[in-house]
Amino acid sequence: MGEEGYSLSGRVFHTIRENILSGKYKCDEELKEKTLGDELGVSRTPVREALRQLELEGLVRIIPNRGAFVEGITKEDVKDIYEIRARLEGLCAKWAADRITKDQIAELEENIFLVEFHAKKENYAQILELDNKFHEVLYEASGSKMLKHELSAFHHYVERVRKITLSMPDRVVKSNDEHKKIVEALKQHNAKEAELLATSHMLNTIENMDNYGWDNLLK
């Protein structure tokens, strides 16, 4: 859903959340209602509502009589998200093996080809978009709107980290090769193999982040 599909408070919420996840608002930074309202061109009320919602999501902490502060995404949060995603992505691929359409298979195969093309040209912004699209198609292919919703949320939460890891040539090649193997299992309707490969794909990402260094990823 684009921003135009949200209410005013919804747009404020998504804008502030995006600024936290992108690193524009730093961890422990104070989020002042008036400042945010002036920045976004709204009154304090939708800002206050957004901050309360962000507190429920764990991205903001509100301290009585002091204010709201950015909680952000920590190393532990990212690892937790990828551990959870590993299980859910495996389930997604398992279900997709039985439900995926020929058009969706073709879209995933084209995605793999385009990543190879852009990797040679070092178009990393395009590669990130293609990675987003690959997983969106896979989530849709699972046939479960609940699973798609949960995985899409987790996928977005770690986009800042993914943007860095998918600018590493070695990881791009390995990630795309892992995607290729997942698609092959889906074409064979091999649910068990698809589940194992999708789970491994996420766990490999954690290992890659450990090797790269968390200070570089979350700076």
Side-chain angles (χ1 to χ4, degrees):
M1 179 186 291
E3 276 200 8
E4 65 278 2
Y6 295 117
S7 63
L8 175 61
S9 59
R11 289 198 299 274
V12 171
F13 164 77
H14 281 89
T15 299
I16 296 174
R17 183 173 72 165
E18 184 64 33
N19 287 340
I20 292 173
L21 294 175
S22 69
K24 179 179 178 181
Y25 300 152
K26 305 299 182 184
C27 192
D28 296 324
E29 181 178 340
E30 184 175 3
L31 299 173
K32 297 180 179 179
E33 291 178 9
K34 185 178 185 310
T35 302
L36 290 172
D38 291 344
E39 181 182 327
L40 301 174
V42 298
S43 67
R44 289 190 178 192
T45 300
V47 173
R48 188 176 301 120
E49 291 173 355
L51 292 176
R52 287 172 180 163
Q53 191 173 350
L54 287 163
E55 183 181 34
L56 294 176
E57 290 204 2
L59 294 177
V60 166
R61 66 182 183 281
I62 297 177
I63 303 175
N65 302 318
R66 285 193 57 194
F69 300 84
V70 175
E71 190 71 18
I73 298 289
T74 66
K75 169 185 173 180
E76 288 72 25
D77 294 332
V78 173
K79 282 198 167 187
D80 286 349
I81 287 171
Y82 272 95
E83 287 280 357
I84 296 168
R85 277 188 69 192
R87 275 63 186 177
L88 293 183
E89 293 264 359
L91 179 61
C92 176
K94 177 182 177 180
W95 287 352
D98 293 325
R99 302 168 181 174
I100 197 164
T101 66
K102 289 182 179 179
D103 286 345
Q104 288 170 329
I105 287 287
E107 193 170 359
L108 292 176
E109 289 182 324
E110 181 183 16
N111 186 287
I112 289 167
F113 171 79
L114 288 172
V115 169
E116 290 177 349
F117 173 80
H118 287 289
K120 292 174 183 176
K121 295 182 175 294
E122 300 184 347
N123 294 335
Y124 296 116
Q126 188 65 36
I127 289 170
L128 178 64
E129 289 184 20
L130 287 165
D131 185 74
N132 287 339
K133 186 61 179 176
F134 182 93
H135 288 276
E136 285 172 11
V137 174
L138 191 59
Y139 301 160
E140 188 70 36
S142 75
S144 170
K145 64 181 181 182
M146 299 305 295
L147 186 56
K148 176 184 176 182
H149 173 76
E150 291 301 320
L151 279 168
S152 295
F154 281 131
H155 197 65
H156 182 66
Y157 261 55
V158 291
E159 185 159 334
R160 181 180 164 201
V161 172
R162 289 175 48 250
K163 186 179 295 185
I164 296 173
T165 60
L166 287 174
S167 65
M168 305 174 195
D170 288 350
R171 180 55 196 160
V172 170
V173 172
K174 289 179 182 178
S175 177
N176 204 40
D177 186 55
E178 290 163 9
H179 282 180
K180 192 179 299 184
K181 291 176 181 177
I182 291 169
V183 173
E184 188 58 37
L186 294 174
K187 287 174 67 176
Q188 300 299 322
H189 303 290
N190 188 332
K192 183 177 181 180
E193 183 70 6
E195 179 178 18
L196 289 172
L197 288 168
T199 300
S200 177
H201 178 54
M202 289 296 105
L203 297 179
N204 287 343
T205 303
I206 297 176
E207 182 179 349
N208 182 70
M209 290 186 289
D210 284 336
N211 292 337
Y212 184 72
W214 288 92
D215 289 342
N216 295 319
L217 291 168
L218 299 175
K219 59 186 177 182

